[in-house]
Amino acid sequence: MSILKKSSTVRFLAQTIFLLLCSAMTVWASGPKDPSPHGTNIFAPASTPAKSIADLSVLVLVITGIIFVVVFVLLVYSVVKFRGRAKDAGREPAQVYGSTQIELAWTIIPILIVVVLFLATARVIHAIQDAPEPAGAVQVTVIGHQYWWEFRYPKLGIVTANELHIPVSDPGHPTPTFLQLLSADTDHSFWVPELAGKTDLIPNHPNRMWMDPQRTGIFLGQCAQYCGTQHAKMLLRVSVDGPQDFAVWVRAQQGPAVEDAGAIAGRRVFESNACMNCHAVAGTAADGRFGPDLTHLMSRVTIAAGAAKNTHDNLRLWIQDPSAIKPGSLMPAMKLSDTDLDAVVSYMETLR
Amino acid sequence: MSSNAITLPGTQIQARPWVDELHQWLTTVDHKRLGILYILSALLFLAIGGVEALIIRIQLMHSHNNFVSPEVFNRMFTMHGTTMIFFVAMPVLFGFANYLVPLMIGARDMAFPRLNAFSFWLSFLGGLLLYFSFLGGSGLYGAGSAPDVGWWSYAPLGARAFSPGHSSDYWTLAVLVSGFGSIGTAINIIATILCLRCPGMKLNRMPLLVWMNLVMAGMVLFAVTPLSAAQIMLLIDRYLGGHFFDTQAGGSAVLWMHFFWIFGHPEVYILIIPCFAFMSEIIPVFSRKPIFGYPVMVAATVCIAFVSMSVWAHHMFTIGMNSYANSFFTLTTMAVGVPTGIKIFNWIGTMWGGRIQFKTPMLFSIGFLFQFLIAGLTGIMIAASPFDWQLSLSYFVVAHFHYVIVGGILFALFAAFYYWYPKMTGRMLSERLGKWHFWLFLIGFHLTFDVMHIPGILGMPRRIYTYEPGRGWDTLNLIITIGAFIQALAILVFLANLVISYFKGDRAGNDPWDAWTLEWSISSPPPAYNFATVPTVASRRPLWDLKHPEDPDSRYE
Ligand SMILES: [Cu+2]
Ligand SMILES: [Cu+2]
């Protein structure tokens, strides 16, 4: 890791060269911002893979930055110094055809630079991709669907959607999360910039990635591989919980759906319409897998893969006409009567 | 230098009726006319693709914008990418190659004039097919009109299950048909260069433009063939029940990626090498010095061609290849930087010690050098695969490849337009409009594409028709959009310049730039037969030898 260690010393310098420029723009560009979730800046890593990528990136930025300055100076110098002047009009300059020494120099130096960059890169590739999975790791199977994410925790027996909960990882007792990436339809890509680089979800081609977030909070991201009409609204929310919070969340998710006698009318609407063919509610007859599992719908902050906040009005609007929120989404408008609609929404709101 | 054109008595033709003239153009097999047809069709598609880009930019101007629906937006970026690569960049470069290669090697036409015409019309037909999708794409299903699967149409999105109707078929056929055209042209260029050089023009005396087009044509044969194969396989999937890429029946999405990028990466070099060729002709003339390190330039080009055949999977760093594959493609990709760097140094070496004249072609060439340098360096960044795990599929990559294609290829093309327009039309392009064009375009370009790197670093993926507020992307996108409109304005100045100068431009004469290659020894525009007597050359700069008999190049080579 020597190159990378050293790079962390030049890190400060590098961030003044390049990042200052970017971040200055960003800060100025972003204005007042929702303070709760973390941003999506690749240079604000909160987990080991993202951090080793950021360190490597700084090294690459410094080296390419130096190359840029050198060549740029040469270019500007030659343009300014050798500009044609009126006084030598009509006279041709000395005709020079080349020089073997110079050619050798500007062949060998770049080769050396490439070797250095390659070795530094190969280290990071190996460190991230070939990291062994420790015994205490949390396993999640991520299944990409057209415009939403399915998360299954095989060891914990949890199925949920769009909002991933994972435990914070203390470097002393690492509890990293390993994701197995699958796709139910087209290609997608899982990208939460502050936690890890992206990896695609490809049908018939299982992939794997991992992260060990060292800070709690909400981390945002979204699908990065074009997957169809609503690729733009296939957002991701990762909630990194403290050990206690995570345990509480797991226990809540493991239970079946809350039975609420008050919502029996809505439940009947749900089960007598096609809703139950597409959605699952654990403990009831509904076991569809085409759409998100709704067992604990109300534990989620957003609906429709982050397209809207999970509020009463949004839920109602969504069930009435999904395309009002997410045109092109694969949930059809169910054309329920107003009473049925209200009933089913109240049923949804009991699914805590 | 006197014109070699011969005027035979009685060949002076009266002004023909325009139908006649049109008929002549449509049935021509003359390499110069076909070259111009290629260029004109590319300009037409450039305007269309440009409008699509502006629609994209208006939609992304701020978060949650509703200028167009997601469906329309997805069609726009698919059509924009496909149009710009297959129906602008390739045709315009083939056009210049067609026009210039025979003139520069002292030939009277291409080796296969009819194949040449056939190839052009195939490529043009491909473009028409693509745009016919707006009318015919819905098929019986009413599912979309123009294709909306992205210019790389990743499997299984292009499969029937996800792309019903005919929009994807038009995309496939357009790419397939124009691809056959490209292969025909490539064969033609290779045959012409190998067989039709004038006496004395040994391989190592060919102008670099000719060398580089030879390499480009070779790459077309290697790169476009797998693409065509993949399109045929896709058609088999879509119509004959094949399962090559049909993942729901066990097909492979990754196979399509390999096919596509084994075309797609060399394609970048197919486009940029002819631009290197323009630079290698224009920079020497306006620096008043021969190209620095001719043999090294040739070797570097051939080297790029070979290495760039083994880098394709750097477009696939995020698909979960194992660490060895990722390392290998990181290494090969970084390695292409070496011969590419050598070229930049050689161009600077050419300017070094020269007397640089800042005519419009040279301004665009200097712009090219500067931007291509940056494009190369951001290329190194995304070649480092872990860095690419963050940047791939983000706006950083979009900025990077537009730096190559607009900042590099388009700037070089503008230089070529200003440089060879006098030869093609007999008139000079206006220098005054040219400078307006250059500065406006430069400002617009940097506003758009410098800024575009930042949203990528801040996590903005490409191909999204809208985005959430509060991510810090809003202002940046607004600036990018403003820059796009400034570029559009510059393009209008350019088009106006092309038209106005055609009628009102200064007479060019045979050799307005005091240049050194054979095309400048004959009249502008050249007669149909090019050379009345086939020239004989003794060095790489035949006109230098003629102009400086006391100190000819032939003495040093
Ligand atoms: Cu997507
Ligand atoms: Cu590439």
Side-chain angles (χ1 to χ4, degrees):
Chain A
M1 291 303 274
S2 70
I3 291 171
L4 287 181
K5 281 275 164 50
K6 243 177 269 154
S7 86
S8 58
T9 36
V10 275
R11 201 158 168 206
F12 222 76
L13 183 104
Q15 286 188 340
T16 40
I17 296 175
F18 187 84
L19 272 183
L20 255 188
L21 227 140
C22 306
S23 345
M25 295 280 299
T26 323
V27 170
W28 163 67
S30 55
K33 200 156 89 176
D34 184 1
S36 45
H38 293 272
T40 46
N41 184 344
I42 67 171
F43 286 110
S47 123
T48 306
K51 188 160 176 340
S52 37
I53 292 177
D55 287 346
L56 172 72
S57 309
V58 169
L59 175 75
V60 175
L61 282 172
V62 170
I63 292 180
T64 49
I66 294 171
I67 300 174
F68 173 76
V69 171
V70 170
V71 182
F72 180 67
V73 167
L74 281 175
L75 181 60
V76 171
Y77 179 81
S78 59
V79 167
V80 174
K81 178 80 199 300
F82 302 110
R83 66 187 187 278
R85 295 189 179 83
K87 67 173 164 45
D88 37 47
R91 298 205 333 265
E92 301 282 25
Q95 302 292 299
V96 178
Y97 298 87
S99 149
T100 313
Q101 286 95 333
I102 297 181
E103 298 282 2
L104 270 179
W106 64 45
T107 308
I108 290 170
I109 296 172
I111 290 181
L112 295 179
I113 297 176
V114 164
V115 170
V116 171
L117 277 175
F118 168 69
L119 291 177
T121 307
R123 275 200 122 103
V124 177
I125 297 176
H126 174 72
I128 294 179
Q129 277 201 282
D130 301 337
E133 182 173 334
V138 175
Q139 292 172 345
V140 184
T141 304
V142 180
I143 306 171
H145 293 260
Q146 271 184 320
Y147 329 133
W148 64 279
W149 306 90
E150 178 178 353
F151 299 120
R152 304 179 87 88
Y153 298 64
K155 279 204 215 145
L156 301 174
I158 296 175
V159 182
T160 182
N162 298 330
E163 297 177 10
L164 180 65
H165 283 253
I166 57 176
V168 71
S169 179
D170 166 9
H173 304 273
T175 45
T177 302
F178 276 70
L179 307 179
Q180 164 151 61
L181 306 173
L182 310 173
S183 167
D185 37 51
T186 61
D187 301 339
H188 307 271
S189 193
F190 186 98
W191 190 27
V192 181
E194 298 187 358
L195 295 184
K198 64 180 73 63
T199 309
D200 296 357
L201 296 80
I202 302 170
N204 298 348
H205 186 91
N207 276 334
R208 190 185 85 132
M209 67 183 279
W210 63 279
M211 46 211 187
D212 59 344
Q214 277 137 31
R215 275 187 274 139
T216 56
I218 303 290
F219 292 84
L220 299 178
Q222 68 192 82
C223 175
Q225 178 63 277
Y226 180 63
C227 52
T229 313
Q230 269 299 349
H231 163 58
K233 290 195 180 168
M234 186 163 165
L235 308 180
L236 263 167
R237 256 175 106 86
V238 178
S239 171
V240 176
D241 302 334
Q244 215 90 89
D245 291 346
F246 185 69
V248 170
W249 180 82
V250 166
R251 230 169 297 120
Q253 295 289 315
Q254 281 170 332
V258 179
E259 298 251 5
D260 189 327
I264 192 73
R267 180 167 165 187
R268 203 165 298 127
V269 175
F270 191 86
E271 289 177 359
S272 55
N273 278 288
C275 312
M276 63 176 288
N277 299 333
C278 290
H279 293 287
V281 178
T284 75
D287 64 351
R289 278 196 62 190
F290 186 75
D293 186 295
L294 300 179
T295 311
H296 302 287
L297 172 66
M298 297 319 284
S299 72
R300 303 203 273 271
V301 182
T302 62
I303 55 168
K309 286 252 151 61
N310 189 359
T311 63
H312 172 81
D313 292 347
N314 283 341
L315 259 181
R316 192 173 190 283
L317 180 61
W318 173 262
I319 294 168
Q320 188 183 23
D321 180 15
S323 70
I325 291 177
K326 204 169 166 182
S329 119
L330 295 190
M331 167 156 156
M334 297 298 293
K335 307 217 161 60
L336 300 178
S337 68
D338 271 357
T339 30
D340 281 359
L341 187 58
D342 286 328
V344 88
V345 172
S346 350
Y347 172 52
M348 293 287 107
E349 282 169 338
T350 64
L351 300 174
R352 285 179 301 276
Chain B
M1 294 308 308
S2 68
S3 158
N4 282 338
I6 30 172
T7 340
L8 299 174
T11 49
Q12 197 61 45
I13 302 161
Q14 306 297 309
R16 279 191 298 257
W18 68 269
V19 232
D20 237 39
E21 187 71 23
L22 187 68
H23 181 254
Q24 296 276 325
W25 276 92
L26 296 187
T27 56
T28 185
V29 293
D30 174 13
H31 74 98
K32 297 182 290 300
R33 290 196 157 192
L34 285 167
I36 290 173
L37 283 176
Y38 262 121
I39 292 171
L40 289 178
S41 86
L43 286 175
L44 171 73
F45 285 113
L46 175 74
I48 301 174
V51 169
E52 287 156 357
L54 291 181
I55 294 175
I56 293 173
R57 282 319 318 169
I58 296 176
Q59 168 67 16
L60 291 179
M61 199 161 63
H62 57 81
S63 49
H64 287 178
N65 194 1
N66 281 322
F67 179 66
V68 291
S69 68
E71 289 86 355
V72 170
F73 184 88
N74 297 345
R75 279 175 215 146
M76 286 301 115
F77 70 66
T78 303
M79 294 296 271
H80 170 75
T82 310
T83 304
M84 290 303 197
I85 296 292
F86 293 104
F87 303 106
V88 178
M90 292 191 76
V92 77
L93 293 166
F94 285 157
F96 276 99
N98 244 300
Y99 197 98
L100 295 173
V101 165
L103 292 180
M104 284 189 158
I105 60 173
R108 288 195 164 137
D109 205 322
M110 297 283 278
F112 309 117
R114 280 156 182 273
L115 174 64
N116 202 9
F118 182 62
S119 304
F120 165 73
W121 288 108
L122 275 184
S123 135
F124 188 65
L125 176 72
L128 293 186
L129 266 176
L130 182 68
Y131 277 88
F132 187 74
S133 66
F134 274 109
L135 298 178
S138 303
L140 295 174
Y141 298 87
S145 64
D148 62 355
V149 288
W151 89 280
W152 63 48
S153 185
Y154 263 9
L157 211 52
R160 260 187 119 67
F162 299 102
S163 181
H166 294 306
S167 61
S168 281
D169 300 325
Y170 283 103
W171 180 85
T172 306
L173 286 175
V175 171
L176 184 63
V177 167
S178 76
F180 286 148
S182 305
I183 292 171
T185 298
I187 292 173
N188 214 341
I189 291 175
I190 295 173
T192 307
I193 295 174
L194 293 184
C195 306
L196 297 187
R197 278 165 292 136
C198 66
M201 180 150 312
K202 300 188 283 193
L203 281 180
N204 74 352
R205 283 190 193 148
M206 291 196 310
L208 278 178
L209 183 138
V210 178
W211 253 115
M212 293 185 182
N213 274 293
L214 178 64
V215 173
M216 176 273 276
M219 292 184 72
V220 168
L221 292 188
F222 276 97
V224 177
T225 352
L227 178 70
S228 305
Q231 303 295 357
I232 294 171
M233 290 156 79
L234 181 60
L235 281 176
I236 292 176
D237 272 13
R238 286 180 65 90
Y239 283 98
L240 301 178
H243 301 305
F244 293 109
F245 312 119
D246 175 5
T247 47
Q248 297 188 316
S252 168
V254 175
L255 179 66
W256 172 268
M257 297 177 189
H258 281 295
F259 266 112
F260 190 86
W261 290 116
I262 211 156
F263 151 78
H265 188 85
E267 170 70 8
V268 180
Y269 283 89
I270 289 171
L271 301 181
I272 198 85
I273 285 178
C275 295
F276 293 167
F278 299 148
M279 293 302 100
S280 305
E281 297 301 327
I282 294 172
I283 292 176
V285 167
F286 291 97
S287 306
R288 311 306 306 155
K289 278 179 65 211
I291 188 81
F292 192 90
Y294 174 100
V296 181
M297 286 299 256
V298 173
T301 311
V302 175
C303 175
I304 288 178
F306 278 108
V307 180
S308 74
M309 299 279 178
S310 60
V311 303
W312 76 91
H314 65 206
H315 296 265
M316 299 158 58
F317 281 145
T318 64
I319 71 152
M321 294 185 294
N322 67 30
S323 54
Y324 295 100
N326 282 332
S327 307
F328 173 80
F329 286 104
T330 293
L331 179 62
T332 53
T333 305
M334 287 179 172
V336 209
V338 176
T340 314
I342 292 175
K343 284 183 179 253
I344 295 187
F345 288 125
N346 275 313
W347 289 317
I348 295 180
T350 306
M351 298 198 294
W352 201 270
R355 303 224 164 101
I356 303 173
Q357 302 170 346
F358 296 100
K359 294 279 169 41
T360 313
M362 189 60 180
L363 291 181
F364 277 108
S365 303
I366 295 170
F368 168 92
L369 287 182
F370 175 66
Q371 280 126 215
F372 188 63
L373 167 66
I374 296 179
L377 294 176
T378 52
I380 296 279
M381 297 175 198
I382 48 186
S385 42
F387 204 173
D388 190 62
W389 294 335
Q390 291 285 18
L391 298 178
S392 170
L393 300 170
S394 81
Y395 260 90
F396 188 94
V397 166
V398 181
H400 161 73
F401 70 73
H402 280 89
Y403 239 94
V404 176
I405 292 178
V406 180
I409 295 170
L410 195 55
F411 267 71
L413 269 166
F414 284 142
F417 267 101
Y418 282 87
Y419 185 69
W420 279 290
Y421 184 91
K423 180 53 56 186
M424 295 180 182
T425 63
R427 307 270 191 170
M428 306 295 288
L429 279 169
S430 153
E431 276 287 307
R432 211 162 65 90
L433 285 179
K435 300 234 151 93
W436 271 101
H437 170 201
F438 172 73
W439 288 108
L440 272 178
F441 199 74
L442 190 80
I443 293 168
F445 170 81
H446 284 283
L447 219 47
T448 297
F449 295 111
D450 293 8
V451 175
M452 195 183 276
H453 291 88
I454 305 171
I457 289 173
L458 297 180
M460 178 169 173
R462 62 193 291 198
R463 296 177 163 174
I464 51 174
Y465 76 96
T466 192
Y467 50 92
E468 300 298 302
R471 298 281 181 95
W473 305 342
D474 274 88
T475 316
L476 298 169
N477 274 288
L478 182 64
I479 299 173
I480 295 170
T481 301
I482 294 172
F485 276 89
I486 299 178
Q487 288 177 72
L489 187 67
I491 299 269
L492 288 181
V493 173
F494 169 63
L495 294 177
N497 199 356
L498 289 183
V499 175
I500 296 172
S501 301
Y502 184 76
F503 298 104
K504 299 232 166 83
D506 297 341
R507 298 264 167 210
N510 290 3
D511 183 15
W513 310 116
D514 192 5
W516 302 311
T517 38
L518 283 178
E519 77 272 29
W520 305 105
S521 69
I522 52 176
S523 64
S524 313
Y529 45 84
N530 296 352
F531 300 92
T533 46
V534 171
T536 305
V537 299
S539 79
R540 288 168 198 153
R541 296 192 297 170
L543 299 208
W544 171 275
D545 292 359
L546 272 176
K547 292 169 188 173
H548 302 270
E550 75 293 350
D551 184 29
D553 267 7
S554 44
R555 199 178 286 167
Y556 306 100
E557 282 168 14

